Amino acid sequence: CVDANTVMQERVALLGDTELREVVVTFKGQRIEAPQLGLLKTLGLGGAHFKRLPIAGVTATRAQIEALQQHPLVRSVRFNDRLTYDDDVARNLTSVDSAQASPELKNAAGEPITGKGVAILVNDSGVDATHPDLAFGDKVIANAAGYTNLRNLLDLGLAEREMFPFTPAEGIPNTDLGGSHGTHVAGIAAGDGTASDGKFAGSAKGASLIGYGSGLVLLVLDTVGGFEYALQILDEHPEYNLRIVTNSFGNT
């Protein structure tokens, strides 16, 4: 395991003077406020920033990246690398089979623990809540799409680079338009098994689901948006009792 800061320094050193790269900037503190936005503006940077997490995405040159790395307000700078999804290894890694067979896993009334009363946010390619196992408004109680395309923000024809607040699109029955990965993850987590008479119910079939779709092609910033949305849900809907965020992505 190589130190991430060392790897970042080596990669930045390979950039050409005028080469633009997407980077994820994490600031110290609780959230982004005027000083952090002022720093990005001073450096001539534009992109998108989260409202609750102290994280922004910008496109920057090597000199701008190095200036960010050296600033006392900045905790870290990482490339907005493309990620990949983790698939069928998850069932073994989570020990679902042995957990479901355990006689000790019962609630106070002696009933099997199903996840009832708990919400799970699926941070993935999205959730198709038109599926019988994942009915929108019943099983899937919220569904949002969040795409953070930094390049597109630069193509808006603005006279100056600006910072835009991250705002996901909510209330969408099907947010899984490009991949279907998130839909099968949602089913594995808490699908109610309607389409198979219970045969293929999820591991926590009593839990509620919240979908967050970041698209088929996802980058670091897109997946971080899922955690931003989770914090939004905690702020705006504490009654959902969101306790879990499931994430099925990574890279080598």
Side-chain angles (χ1 to χ4, degrees), residues 111-171:
E111 302 166 332
I113 296 174
T114 67
K116 184 178 180 180
V118 170
I120 302 169
L121 188 146
V122 178
N123 183 10
D124 212 297
S125 63
V127 174
D128 180 2
T130 67
H131 190 285
D133 289 10
L134 306 167
F136 185 61
D138 183 16
K139 170 59 68 174
V140 177
I141 55 177
N143 209 3
Y147 308 98
T148 313
N149 191 316
L150 298 179
R151 299 283 178 170
N152 281 355
L153 290 176
L154 291 178
D155 292 338
L156 293 178
L158 300 174
E160 298 180 3
R161 291 189 169 191
E162 300 288 344
M163 294 300 301
F164 297 91
F166 170 79
T167 306
E170 298 185 83

Side-chain angles (χ1 to χ4, degrees), residues 12-231:
V12 170
L14 295 175
L15 295 178
D17 291 341
T18 60
E19 187 176 354
L20 281 173
R21 293 295 302 274
E22 296 184 14
V23 294
V24 179
V25 185
T26 302
F27 292 96
K28 298 174 182 176
Q30 295 291 325
R31 62 184 64 209
I32 291 180
E33 297 176 334
Q36 291 85 353
L37 290 175
L39 169 63
L40 297 175
K41 186 176 180 65
T42 298
L43 293 175
L45 296 169
H49 67 88
F50 294 123
K51 301 173 186 175
R52 294 168 178 81
L53 294 172
I55 295 174
V58 299
T59 54
T61 64
R62 182 178 66 187
Q64 290 169 322
I65 293 172
E66 291 172 343
L68 286 168
Q69 289 175 318
Q70 296 165 11
H71 199 279
L73 286 177
V74 175
R75 181 180 298 276
S76 68
V77 183
R78 297 286 185 264
F79 285 116
N80 191 31
D81 289 327
R82 182 169 178 171
L83 304 178
T84 55
Y85 293 117
D86 291 336
D87 286 313
D88 57 352
V89 298
R91 191 170 186 88
N92 289 331
L93 290 173
T94 57
S95 303
V96 168
D97 291 330
S98 58
Q100 289 179 334
S102 174
E104 292 83 9
L105 290 178
K106 306 289 184 181
N107 64 18
E111 302 166 332
I113 296 174
T114 67
K116 184 178 180 180
V118 170
I120 302 169
L121 188 146
V122 178
N123 183 10
D124 212 297
S125 63
V127 174
D128 180 2
T130 67
H131 190 285
D133 289 10
L134 306 167
F136 185 61
D138 183 16
K139 170 59 68 174
V140 177
I141 55 177
N143 209 3
Y147 308 98
T148 313
N149 191 316
L150 298 179
R151 299 283 178 170
N152 281 355
L153 290 176
L154 291 178
D155 292 338
L156 293 178
L158 300 174
E160 298 180 3
R161 291 189 169 191
E162 300 288 344
M163 294 300 301
F164 297 91
F166 170 79
T167 306
E170 298 185 83
I172 305 172
N174 182 8
T175 57
D176 199 4
L177 300 177
S180 78
H181 187 275
T183 299
H184 99 251
V185 169
I188 290 169
D192 62 17
T194 296
S196 60
D197 293 327
K199 181 177 181 180
F200 298 123
S203 57
K205 63 182 181 180
S208 298
L209 288 165
I210 298 170
Y212 176 81
S214 53
L216 177 60
V217 177
L218 78 161
L219 305 174
V220 173
L221 200 65
D222 297 318
T223 62
V224 174
F227 295 101
E228 169 80 3
Y229 186 58
L231 292 175

